[in-house]
Amino acid sequence: MKRIGVTGHRSIPDEALGHVRDGLRAVLRAVLRDHEGPLEALSSLAEGADQLFAAIALECGADLTVVIPSGDYEDCFEDPGSLAGYRRLKGRASQEVRLAFPRSTDEAYYAAGTYIADSCDRLVAVWDGLPARGHGGTAEIVAYARALGKPVTVVWREGAARD
């Protein structure tokens, strides 16, 4: 089984969203085309890149493994639409991995990101190329995956800036 994981920004600017969506579809379709057998997609289902990737992976026929960083993870969703998306995608997952952190902290997010990087054959990063804004941020997980020798595919619209 081929395993592809995601790391990425929670906030994707409108001018980048279509490009990111198309880029994720292209990456997943290429992996499916070039690899015989099932595809497993790993995501923490945070709002933004994680949920977008998971939805597209399911649309492409991949199995979804959800990596939940903490016991109170659902409490961290401030937007009702993002929480609904999380619950809907989690309900479609074929596997769930729960990390032992009771609370959602930067350390829990870092552990989820490194779990995904450790477990995948390729990491897709929805990343603007800038340094992480906190421990466990996208740039930190990209650096971690690259240090492991994992292939990392960056998807971002050049010139687009996050808030």
Side-chain angles (χ1 to χ4, degrees), residues 2 5 25 27 30 41-42 46 58 67 71 78 89 91 94 97 99 111 121 134 143-144 148-149 162:
K2 185 81 169 179
R25 250 188 215 103
V27 168
L42 294 97
L58 287 166
V67 180
E78 294 176 9
L89 291 164
S94 56
V97 175
L99 302 185
D121 301 306
Y144 177 85
L148 293 174
R162 289 188 299 146

Side-chain angles (χ1 to χ4, degrees), residues 76-126:
C76 296
F77 289 87
E78 294 176 9
D79 176 63
S82 293
L83 177 58
Y86 166 81
R87 288 176 174 161
R88 178 179 48 78
L89 291 164
K90 183 177 154 210
R92 294 185 61 197
S94 56
Q95 184 177 345
E96 187 176 301
V97 175
R98 287 190 165 271
L99 302 185
F101 293 87
R103 303 217 181 283
S104 291
T105 62
D106 286 351
E107 193 60 40
Y109 297 145
Y110 178 78
T114 57
Y115 179 94
I116 289 171
D118 286 337
S119 302
C120 69
D121 301 306
R122 168 177 298 281
L123 185 71
V124 177
V126 178

